[in-house]
Amino acid sequence: MSLIVQKFGGTSLADAEKIHRAARRAIRAKLEGQRVVLVVSAMGHATDELLSLARAIASDPPKRELDMLLTTGEQVSIALMAMAIDAAGHEAISLTAAQLGLVTDSAHTRARIQRISRERIDRELEAGKIVIVAGFQGIDASGEITTLGRGASDTTAAALAAVLGAPVCEIYTDVDGVYTADPRIVPQARKIDEISYDTMLEMAAAGAGVMHSRAVEFGKKFNVPIHVRSSLTDAKGTMIMAETHNMEAMSVQGVTLKEDLAMISLNAVPNTPGVAARIFAEVAKNHIIVDDIVQNIYDGGERANLSFSINSGDAPEARAVCERLAAKLGIGGVVVDEGVSKVSALGVGMRTHTGIASTMFDALAHAAINIENISTSEMVISCIVRREDGPKALRYIHDAFGLDKPNNRQGSA
Ligand code: ADP
Ligand code: ASP
Ligand code: MG
């Protein structure tokens, strides 16, 4: 008997009717003879609402208590989903991470999954029930409740699909697949039928919020294809899967915008061996994830300016870490700029396909948008721009690469 993992996001569970709709889809899979595991997120914007409640109480609440609060959102959804399936005359059981044994490390608000016990799930499936798992949450070795990072119900689903050996992990959401750009910002964006794990990983890391990047990592590691599709229709969505020959022909496959960034600039850094190592060791020790790093040397090699981008949520912590370092290492000053975004073009062989970088810079020039920083890698070219310029930058770049046209091959020469 085959097994399917279906994950429903918050917008697909926003009210009672939507919960019934998701329940009907799960029941249909069950009636077709499959074992069904559902993973659900918090309803609608529940997680955001819980977060703002927390912020109304304290500007920097303890992370353990944040996790305690945020996990209630998914607990509401699993119970309501079980009730909806029961009301339709089918058997279901809701399970929290603690009940099923989804164990993470202890990094509150950004925990990583360490192991998942399948014993309880298997037992419930064996008894003929639809199993409903709370996404986004975990439990650490000492029984503390953790969360896996914003948007991480996808990761719960992909990890479960991997552990249970499901042939596919279905992600039901409010768009009918992965698009060449966020369709809310670029209305001309097109749906991508198939995308490789690697390109999707880069897109997710560069800001395509449609998938949590660690979900794609699980898919890749355990070779579980992820089908991103609409919760409203039966149309085929986007398959995230191992690379096929067809995909290689494309160069630029998508563009992304990452808005929640901050730039930290350290001015007049002593340019001596070991300084950068000390700075980034300290930053890493505080679990701050660094995006791009730029260093310029001046003053005849005596001093350097060092800038790096981080998630803006980490800005207060990064500022404190850098100010401590500045005092210790004789760094001239620390400037935190929270008004930046990053636009990226993604695809295969970006560095070797000539003309891609210049097409992107031309597009920004036409839009009269200043580039504050550039970084390139094998699959991504990114520019830091002012936050207010981000959406316009995305539309111009999408247009410049002809991504609105079917079978685009621009830049693949
Ligand atoms: P869910 O609640 O189902 O997890 P999310 O809001 O996390 O939904 O993800 C879906 C949203 O992701 C879409 O509404 C869309 O605006 C956004 N998005 C960003 N980039 C892309 C993209 N490249 N393709 C499709 N959707 C995208
Ligand atoms: N409810 C969580 C969030 O909003 C997890 C998720 O939706 O995937 O981040
Ligand atoms: Mg999501």
Side-chain angles (χ1 to χ4, degrees):
M1 200 186 212
S2 72
L3 183 145
I4 187 137
V5 175
Q6 300 183 325
K7 178 255 169 181
F8 289 89
T11 39
S12 307
L13 302 166
D15 54 38
E17 179 40 41
K18 287 184 172 147
I19 291 176
H20 281 299
R21 183 195 293 268
R24 283 196 294 273
R25 201 181 277 273
I27 291 167
R28 202 168 75 199
K30 175 89 200 303
L31 293 175
E32 282 165 5
Q34 308 205 67
R35 294 176 170 217
V36 184
V37 175
L38 282 188
V39 175
V40 291
S41 299
M43 290 172 70
H45 299 290
T47 309
D48 289 330
E49 283 153 18
L50 290 168
L51 258 179
S52 51
L53 259 180
R55 299 261 144 76
I57 298 284
S59 59
D60 188 18
K63 292 202 161 66
R64 176 191 184 277
E65 305 308 335
L66 260 184
D67 281 351
M68 189 66 87
L69 180 72
L70 295 190
T71 48
T72 62
E74 273 67 17
Q75 196 163 332
V76 168
S77 298
I78 52 171
L80 294 177
M81 182 63 79
M83 293 174 197
I85 293 172
D86 178 78
H90 292 267
E91 277 194 277
I93 183 164
S94 62
L95 295 173
T96 63
Q99 286 174 309
L100 81 88
L102 188 152
V103 180
T104 68
D105 61 19
S106 305
H108 284 292
T109 73
R110 54 186 136 204
R112 295 181 79 101
I113 298 175
Q114 289 178 330
R115 60 176 189 280
I116 301 179
S117 156
R118 53 179 296 172
E119 193 263 327
R120 179 74 189 266
I121 297 185
D122 280 339
R123 191 156 26 104
E124 303 296 354
L125 288 172
E126 198 59 41
K129 293 178 193 164
I130 293 176
V131 176
I132 306 154
V133 173
F136 175 57
Q137 57 178 250
I139 188 159
D140 79 358
S142 52
E144 296 291 345
I145 291 175
T146 56
T147 60
L148 310 174
R150 295 304 309 272
S153 290
D154 297 338
T155 297
T156 307
L160 274 172
V163 165
L164 299 171
V168 64
C169 175
E170 294 189 325
I171 303 285
Y172 288 94
T173 184
D174 62 346
V175 269
D176 51 8
V178 178
Y179 276 64
T180 49
D182 186 339
R184 282 192 224 182
I185 306 174
V186 184
Q188 296 81 11
R190 281 186 315 109
K191 193 181 86 187
I192 300 170
D193 292 332
E194 293 178 351
I195 189 167
S196 72
Y197 294 120
D198 288 328
T199 308
M200 191 62 228
L201 262 177
E202 297 287 352
M203 273 184 79
V210 62
M211 278 299 298
H212 194 247
S213 58
R214 284 218 296 284
V216 187
E217 282 172 21
F218 272 106
K220 180 179 176 188
K221 190 162 169 196
F222 296 94
N223 202 19
V224 183
I226 298 172
H227 187 181
V228 182
R229 55 192 302 193
S230 166
S231 57
L232 298 176
T233 70
D234 282 334
K236 197 173 170 303
T238 300
M239 286 305 277
I240 306 170
M241 54 195 276
E243 188 157 321
T244 64
H245 183 68
N246 216 5
M247 295 177 192
E248 283 165 32
M250 303 285 287
S251 73
V252 177
Q253 290 186 293
V255 296
T256 59
L257 175 65
K258 196 168 183 174
E259 296 203 286
D260 50 351
L261 285 181
M263 273 302 251
I264 310 273
S265 300
L266 306 181
N267 300 322
V269 178
N271 187 27
T272 47
V275 170
R278 289 249 341 241
I279 294 170
F280 289 107
E282 201 56 33
V283 168
K285 211 167 85 190
N286 286 277
H287 302 286
I288 296 164
I289 296 165
V290 173
D291 219 19
D292 302 320
I293 304 173
V294 202
Q295 178 173 270
N296 300 306
I297 294 164
Y298 66 99
D299 209 5
E302 292 287 304
R303 302 242 150 207
N305 285 333
L306 184 64
S307 316
F308 55 93
S309 51
I310 56 169
N311 290 331
S312 50
D314 290 337
E317 217 170 336
R319 181 197 287 275
V321 169
C322 290
E323 280 173 353
R324 279 202 302 277
L325 277 168
K328 260 192 242 163
L329 301 176
I331 292 170
V334 179
V335 180
V336 181
D337 179 354
E338 294 198 51
V340 295
S341 290
K342 184 166 86 168
V343 275
S344 307
L346 301 101
V348 177
M350 300 290 280
R351 247 210 275 257
T352 42
H353 288 314
T354 50
I356 291 180
S358 64
T359 301
M360 179 152 171
F361 304 153
D362 270 354
L364 292 172
H366 273 115
I369 290 172
N370 192 42
I371 302 172
E372 303 208 353
N373 184 34
I374 298 168
S375 61
T376 62
S377 73
E378 209 42 60
M379 295 186 72
V380 191
I381 300 178
S382 302
C383 296
I384 298 278
V385 298
R386 299 310 308 161
R387 173 89 30 92
E388 60 273 18
D389 290 333
K392 184 177 175 193
L394 196 71
R395 287 190 282 270
Y396 270 77
I397 296 168
H398 190 269
D399 193 56
F401 286 116
L403 292 173
D404 53 334
K405 299 182 184 68
N407 301 321
N408 153 65
R409 289 287 183 276
Q410 172 148 1
S412 62

